[in-house]
Amino acid sequence: MTMPSLALTSPDTQSQFSLVQAHQEGWTILEGCGPEHADTQLRGVTCSDQNAWWQVARQARQGSPYHREALSRLSSSEREQISLRFGPL
């Protein structure tokens, strides 16, 4: 069975996205990562990175606008890595 793909769009500049909720859930978004300092990555704070990836991807698939927006903020290479491990986003 194929998982439906989520339509992830670029974040709205008027968005109320805040990392406070992310930190409460045990993860964060780091900008300026990777060899070119151009990646935006999702990282675990109180859990492993892969656990954080799984948490956010699962919540996004369940329709959480907050988690869908978090995924949309990540660099395409980070989203690809999450998709490879946990299915299409």
Side-chain angles (χ1 to χ4, degrees), residues 8-22:
L8 299 174
T9 58
S10 296
D12 182 350
T13 55
Q14 300 297 318
S15 171
Q16 297 300 311
F17 185 83
S18 166
L19 287 176
V20 172
Q21 179 178 341

Side-chain angles (χ1 to χ4, degrees), residues 2 10 15 20-21 24 35 40 48 64 76-78 87:
T2 304
S10 296
S15 171
V20 172
Q21 179 178 341
Q24 290 171 343
T40 301
S48 70
S64 166
S76 59
S77 61
E78 184 79 347

